[in-house]
Amino acid sequence: MKIVKIRKNNDGDITNVMNEQGEVLPLTKAVALAKAGEICCVTVTKNRNGVEVLDSTFRSAREDRLENLPEF
């Protein structure tokens, strides 16, 4: 599975992602899928508040990095 769009809150944190099939996932579900190896090009890290979030892998192409994806 690949993430193609993101949704952010007012603080700029990603709250939801959309995969290439158009399915919208809450961040918690996306984190669980990434941990299971079901989402490509992302890793799971912790943000400044200690909450698990997604981050682009180092190998991700520039246009595929989460922060560069279009918002929905």
Side-chain angles (χ1 to χ4, degrees):
M1 176 186 323
K2 184 176 179 180
I3 296 172
V4 296
K5 293 185 179 182
I6 58 172
R7 180 175 292 149
K8 295 180 181 179
N9 63 17
N10 290 338
D11 293 330
D13 299 320
I14 296 173
T15 59
N16 300 80
V17 299
M18 181 185 293
N19 65 21
E20 68 269 0
Q21 288 85 27
E23 181 181 10
V24 176
L25 304 168
L27 183 62
T28 53
K29 174 77 172 177
V31 165
L33 290 170
K35 284 179 154 182
E38 296 184 34
I39 299 179
C40 73
C41 306
V42 297
T43 59
V44 177
T45 61
K46 291 190 178 184
N47 69 10
R48 61 193 172 276
N49 298 320
V51 176
E52 289 183 317
V53 296
L54 299 177
D55 195 10
S56 302
T57 62
F58 181 71
R59 297 185 316 266
S60 298
R62 180 177 170 84
E63 62 274 7
D64 289 338
R65 293 190 181 272
L66 291 177
E67 64 270 11
N68 294 332
L69 293 177
E71 292 187 44
F72 67 97

